[in-house]
Amino acid sequence: MAKLGALLFLVFLSLTAGNLMMVNGQKTWCVAKPSSDQATLLSNINYACAHVDCQIMQRGCPCSSPDSLINRASIAMNIYYQSKGRNHWNCDFRASGLVVVTDPSYGNCIYA
């Protein structure tokens, strides 16, 4: 029983201590929740891009297509999340962000 308690404490500590590096050292990314409304997505883009360089989303750049709001928000939110240290609170975006362990990169658009 003591081992289970210690394990639960370590899981709790890893979730609250900040960095969401997974147990096996897996990398994490931040994406927009599919249920997010357009106003929230736009707000997330504006907030993230006011604090980090979002050039990768400009026309002609690898992540400019598809030009959907959820795609652009996910890219901006992930750039912000990565640049701020991959802490779970850096992907909150008023509960519209989702930390994932599956790389969301596609084509030539590489999520850092």
Side-chain angles (χ1 to χ4, degrees), residues 54-66 75 106 108-109:
C54 290
Q55 272 188 308
I56 196 166
M57 299 185 327
Q58 290 181 354
R59 266 189 226 287
C61 292
C63 297
S64 63
S65 178
I75 294 164
Y106 59 92
N108 291 328
C109 181

Side-chain angles (χ1 to χ4, degrees), residues 45-98:
I45 293 168
N46 291 335
Y47 178 81
C49 293
H51 293 91
V52 296
D53 182 5
C54 290
Q55 272 188 308
I56 196 166
M57 299 185 327
Q58 290 181 354
R59 266 189 226 287
C61 292
C63 297
S64 63
S65 178
D67 189 15
S68 67
L69 211 46
I70 193 158
N71 182 59
R72 295 175 63 79
S74 292
I75 294 164
M77 292 163 67
N78 185 64
I79 294 169
Y80 180 87
Y81 172 73
Q82 299 295 329
S83 72
K84 300 299 179 183
R86 292 198 310 258
N87 300 299
H88 64 89
W89 57 82
N90 297 127
C91 185
D92 184 62
F93 292 91
R94 296 185 181 171
S96 65
L98 183 64

Side-chain angles (χ1 to χ4, degrees), residues 14 35 41 67:
S14 70
S35 59
L41 295 173
D67 189 15

